[in-house]
Amino acid sequence: MAASALAIAPHAADAPAPARQVSLTEGAYIVHELPGRLRLRLPALAQARDAVGQLEAWMEGDPSVTHLRVNGSARSLVVEYEPEAGAREAVLNRLARFRVDPDLVGVNPEEQAELLPLLTGLMSLLFIPLLPTTGKRLLTLLAAGPTLARGADAFVQSGIGTEVLDALAVGLSASRGEYYTASLTASMLALGEYMETHTARQSDRMLRRLLRPRPVMAWVERDGALEQIEGAQVKAGDIVVVGPGETVAADGRVVSGTALVNQSAITGEDVPVRREHLQRLVSGSVVIDGQVRFEATRVGEETTTARVAKFIQESLSQRSRTQRLTDELADRRVYLTLGTGAAVYALTRDARRLQSVFLVDYSCALKLGTPVAFKAGMVRSAQQGVLVKGGEAIEGLASVDTVVFDKTGTLTHSDLAVTDVVVLDGSRCQDTLLALVASIEEHATHPIASAVVKAAREQALEHISHGEVSYLVAHGMSADVDGSRLYIGSRHYLEEHIGLDFAAFGETINDLQAQGKILLYVSDDHRPVGLIALRDRVREDARETVDRLRELGIKRLILITGDRKNKARTLGRRLGLDEIHAEMPPEDKAAIVERLTREGARVAFVGDGVNDGPALAASEVGIAMPRGADIARATADVVLLEDRLSLVADARAIALDTSRLIRTNFNLAVGINTTILGAAALGRVSPVGSALLHNGSTMGILLNALSGGKLTGGGRTPLPTEEG
């Protein structure tokens, strides 16, 4: 198919974008098109480095989009969507409304400024040997000037520190006419500074993308008509209409209607709840069935999810403990170098020895080795399917001794599975009862109905004819079958609304509920007919993950859930967990984590819901599942990119490897530089030799960090996905 122009323009109701923002639809065109699939070329992707993540989050906010692939290098976008009326136009219209965050557009002037000293230093190393003395002085001054200026400023502002030592080393070399040594030292320092700031900036960008929640659309009643707007534009007092499959865009109270709402991301409950007049709706929950009109009470930054996100963003901005420790260790060794130099000069009056000593700087290896090792650990984690947000997260994951799990969506899959079919009246066999219930339930869309229909299909049971289905939202269903009325639903529905009594089967019911199962009740007009028991499915790798975490040094494994006690205890026994905390409201999850921390435990929390946000933030390390709520993924220090619980153990193994690598590099840095310092003090190493040995060892430590410790032969914990 020939390429066609992208003619869709932003919706007239949309507010104009700020002038600085970049529209990716400028010059865009459709390369290829099939029903339900578009491939587009977006030349403007070249103008924004990090537009890919923003674009993915924006387009995934359209409920009709089923799959998305963005290739920044090829400047292309592939969108697959539900082939329904108006979906194509909606997708293109949404793309046309997208604007890139101006903070991520074009070339950052700060990065240019940081790169300039490094480039100047490298150029000086090439040309200094070829120039006369005057040219060498000017070029050395140009290369070393930033280091000298930074050292002078640091001395005035805060006294003696690593910057002062750097300036002394470079200045002493330059004053003695050793221009190449001065330029080499300045270049190495510039390289270290650039790599450190570049790594930090990349981490900031990663966090900024993760903290940006996926956009939600909302239908709002305005001027007697429904208008679709972005969730962020909903105002307090607006009447919002939300139906099946739609996400609640703001906190509010139901004005009219009834709906079945999935609040698992809020409360941790694995069964949807009924919401009707005056009951509260929370942003982030999803309507499974029915429709409600609700009045928005908290919008924008006042919603539950937004307020938790703000709290977490503030906690994430705190300075890294590892960075503080590295700086402290580097500063201590400044005094060691200065003291050694002073003693050597006092005893020998040899300026050459003094110069050699001052060129030994522990801070380069210490300041470079740690962040680069962390970055290597982050890259290795990403290759395994785990996103780790910075060095402190790796350090924390290596130090934890307690892992706390949420239940729904974490230790278990979010969907349900049929476990038992119990016939109560003897009129039908189990297969017939399941087939009959599935034939009626296939007209519903809630998770219990889906599980029953799936179970019948897996057993290849035939569809059973029935009359028209009546449906009472959040209660149950009924239909005529073979001359009688069959009712399916909750015990409350069948006993209170239909007038049937299940008390005679209390022992069976209690036994199934004690196993942590959810019950679907079935009756006809006269008597109970049967029970269908369901349970959320435990992840296949849950027990293996628990056992492996123990092997990796975790001492306590704990379950915290909003689910009922019997269900939680059953799961805890099955997985061999140490402690179970059930029926926990969201705020108590964080309180338990805080109590464990006060008792001296170093806690990692694994969860996936909005309600897990405070607990994730309160823990030493928060780990979020990939299908979790935006707020959970934003809160977490570690995000699993694939829906495998075993990645938690993989992340722990990588963190332990990285910590060992950092200790190895630290010992190498201290050992090698102390040896060089001793040789310099004894006059066994010239200034040039001292600079080359010091900077060479720094580069070696840096390469060892980048390689994940392979250069030093450090063993790595084997991962299941690695060969050998």
Side-chain angles (χ1 to χ4, degrees):
M1 179 179 290
S4 59
L6 181 64
I8 302 295
H11 194 282
D14 293 332
R20 285 186 61 215
Q21 293 188 340
V22 173
S23 170
L24 290 188
T25 55
E26 186 175 340
Y29 57 91
I30 298 172
V31 177
H32 187 266
E33 181 174 2
L34 293 171
R37 185 180 187 274
L38 287 166
R39 182 158 67 91
L40 306 101
R41 184 63 50 80
L42 306 175
L45 268 176
Q47 300 179 39
R49 296 178 308 274
D50 287 355
V52 171
Q54 298 180 61
L55 181 59
E56 287 176 343
W58 172 259
M59 294 303 296
E60 286 172 357
D62 188 330
S64 65
V65 173
T66 59
H67 181 71
L68 193 73
R69 187 171 71 252
V70 184
N71 188 324
S73 301
R75 301 164 192 171
S76 71
L77 167 67
V78 176
V79 185
E80 296 179 15
Y81 57 90
E82 296 290 348
E84 55 191 22
R88 177 184 183 276
E89 289 71 22
V91 168
L92 292 176
N93 191 34
R94 186 171 185 82
L95 175 62
R97 296 201 310 271
F98 175 71
R99 296 294 184 273
V100 181
D101 185 338
D103 291 337
L104 302 178
V105 175
V107 180
N108 191 329
E110 291 184 6
E111 289 190 39
Q112 287 182 318
E114 292 163 1
L115 199 56
L116 185 59
L118 177 59
L119 295 176
T120 303
L122 293 176
M123 292 298 293
S124 68
L125 295 178
L126 292 175
F127 290 105
I128 281 179
L130 308 176
L131 296 175
T133 302
T134 302
K136 291 179 180 179
R137 289 174 182 169
L138 292 175
L139 202 54
T140 301
L141 181 61
L142 186 63
T147 302
L148 298 173
R150 189 165 53 248
D153 181 67
F155 182 76
V156 172
Q157 298 294 331
S158 56
I160 296 176
T162 55
E163 294 85 358
V164 176
L165 182 59
D166 295 339
L168 285 173
V170 172
L172 188 58
S173 297
S175 66
R176 292 179 57 83
E178 297 170 351
Y179 304 118
Y180 194 86
T181 300
S183 295
L184 176 63
T185 304
S187 299
M188 293 299 300
L189 293 172
L191 175 62
E193 186 72 20
Y194 176 76
M195 292 196 67
E196 184 179 353
T197 55
H198 181 71
T199 301
R201 184 175 289 108
Q202 288 296 102
S203 299
D204 290 343
R205 288 173 185 158
M206 188 186 309
L207 288 176
R208 196 158 54 232
R209 287 199 301 271
L210 286 167
L211 287 170
R212 183 181 294 109
R214 289 185 174 89
V216 174
M217 303 302 290
W219 289 98
V220 179
E221 293 182 358
R222 289 181 178 171
D223 300 325
L226 280 178
E227 177 184 345
Q228 190 178 37
I229 62 174
E230 295 174 19
Q233 297 176 353
V234 174
K235 300 177 181 177
D238 277 345
I239 300 299
V240 183
V241 181
V242 58
E246 296 179 341
T247 301
V248 178
D251 293 358
R253 292 198 177 274
V254 176
V255 174
S256 64
T258 303
L260 199 63
V261 180
N262 182 351
Q263 296 190 150
S264 62
I266 316 297
T267 66
E269 295 175 294
D270 52 14
V271 179
V273 297
R274 179 185 174 93
R275 283 292 175 262
E276 52 192 1
H277 185 55
L278 295 183
Q279 290 186 317
R280 184 174 176 236
L281 281 176
V282 180
S283 62
S285 54
V286 179
V287 173
I288 301 299
D289 202 2
Q291 185 180 76
V292 292
R293 297 168 62 248
F294 73 93
E295 179 182 359
T297 56
R298 288 180 173 174
V299 299
E301 295 185 356
E302 293 301 316
T303 63
T304 302
T305 52
R307 286 185 289 118
V308 176
K310 184 178 180 181
F311 164 75
I312 288 150
Q313 190 165 15
E314 291 173 353
S315 68
L316 286 172
S317 65
Q318 295 177 359
R319 195 161 178 251
S320 165
R321 180 174 63 246
T322 303
Q323 186 61 54
R324 293 195 300 269
L325 178 60
T326 301
D327 290 347
E328 181 181 345
L329 292 173
D331 287 340
R332 288 178 183 175
R333 279 152 183 79
V334 167
Y335 293 101
L336 173 63
T337 302
L338 288 174
T340 302
V344 166
Y345 189 75
L347 292 173
T348 65
R349 298 295 177 180
D350 187 343
R352 189 175 179 81
R353 290 194 187 188
L354 177 62
Q355 182 182 347
S356 298
V357 169
F358 277 177
L359 287 171
V360 180
D361 179 6
Y362 289 85
S363 65
C364 286
L366 294 178
K367 290 171 68 177
L368 276 175
T370 298
V372 171
F374 279 138
K375 186 175 182 180
M378 292 170 67
V379 170
R380 186 181 171 207
S381 297
Q383 292 170 342
Q384 293 294 332
V386 182
L387 178 61
V388 182
K389 302 180 190 176
E392 189 167 3
I394 294 179
E395 182 187 48
L397 192 56
S399 67
V400 297
D401 54 27
T402 302
V403 176
V404 177
F405 291 98
D406 177 47
K407 175 180 169 287
T408 306
T410 304
L411 290 175
T412 65
H413 293 285
S414 299
D415 54 341
L416 301 172
V418 172
T419 59
D420 303 89
V421 178
V422 181
V423 178
L424 300 178
D425 66 347
S427 62
R428 300 173 178 86
C429 68
Q430 289 182 335
D431 286 352
T432 302
L433 178 61
L434 178 60
L436 180 56
V437 173
S439 299
I440 298 173
E441 288 281 3
E442 69 181 4
H443 296 277
T445 58
H446 56 76
I448 293 178
S450 299
V452 172
V453 172
K454 181 180 179 182
R457 288 175 177 170
E458 288 176 348
Q459 297 182 38
L461 301 180
E462 293 184 2
H463 181 275
I464 297 178
S465 299
H466 56 79
E468 184 177 349
V469 175
S470 297
Y471 184 37
L472 183 60
V473 175
H475 280 308
M477 309 173 69
S478 63
D480 290 326
V481 181
D482 295 332
S484 66
R485 194 75 175 171
L486 197 72
Y487 300 92
I488 306 168
S490 65
R491 184 173 183 176
H492 170 80
Y493 169 54
L494 269 65
E495 291 189 338
E496 299 297 327
H497 291 259
I498 310 304
L500 275 299
D501 188 3
F502 281 78
F505 307 99
E507 183 176 348
T508 300
I509 291 171
N510 292 337
D511 180 58
L512 291 170
Q513 289 180 334
Q515 298 174 42
K517 297 175 181 178
I518 301 163
L519 299 183
L520 187 64
Y521 296 77
V522 186
S523 77
D524 58 21
D525 290 310
H526 309 291
R527 62 190 182 280
V529 171
L531 301 168
I532 295 182
L534 307 96
R535 183 165 56 193
D536 46 357
R537 296 182 296 116
V538 178
R539 290 181 179 272
E540 297 78 4
D541 57 354
R543 183 59 194 248
E544 176 189 350
T545 300
V546 167
D547 293 341
R548 189 158 170 245
L549 285 171
R550 291 193 191 280
E551 294 173 0
L552 291 169
I554 300 299
K555 299 176 182 177
R556 298 168 70 186
L557 292 151
I558 301 171
L559 171 64
I560 303 180
T561 178
D563 245 336
R564 294 188 298 274
K565 291 182 180 179
N566 56 349
K567 293 181 65 176
R569 288 170 180 166
T570 300
L571 178 63
R573 287 193 297 269
R574 180 176 176 181
L575 298 181
L577 303 178
D578 300 308
E579 295 179 28
I580 310 296
H581 299 272
E583 300 179 6
M584 291 288 107
E587 57 272 17
D588 284 2
K589 291 186 178 183
I592 291 175
V593 171
E594 291 169 353
R595 176 178 61 78
L596 291 168
T597 302
R598 287 195 300 271
E599 292 173 355
R602 301 182 70 90
V603 182
F605 183 90
V606 189
D608 76 332
V610 172
N611 63 303
D612 298 327
L616 287 163
S619 60
E620 178 80 15
V621 178
I623 305 174
M625 303 299 292
R627 296 182 181 178
D630 287 321
I631 191 64
R633 298 171 71 245
T635 306
D637 304 289
V638 177
V639 178
L640 307 187
L641 302 178
E642 301 174 14
D643 197 23
R644 293 188 289 120
L645 188 64
S646 60
L647 291 176
V648 175
D650 290 348
R652 164 74 171 184
I654 292 171
L656 291 173
D657 288 341
T658 303
S659 292
R660 284 193 288 268
L661 174 60
I662 290 171
R663 287 194 297 271
T664 298
N665 283 343
F666 175 83
N667 292 333
L668 285 172
V670 172
I672 293 173
N673 281 285
T674 299
T675 301
I676 299 172
L677 185 67
L682 295 174
R684 301 296 179 87
V685 180
S686 69
V688 172
S690 181
L692 289 175
L693 287 172
H694 157 66
N695 289 296
S697 66
T698 299
M699 290 304 299
I701 290 170
L702 177 59
L703 291 173
N704 189 48
L706 285 171
S707 68
K710 292 180 181 179
L711 299 183
T712 55
R716 299 192 306 173
T717 304
L719 301 177
T721 54
E722 292 186 329
E723 296 181 1

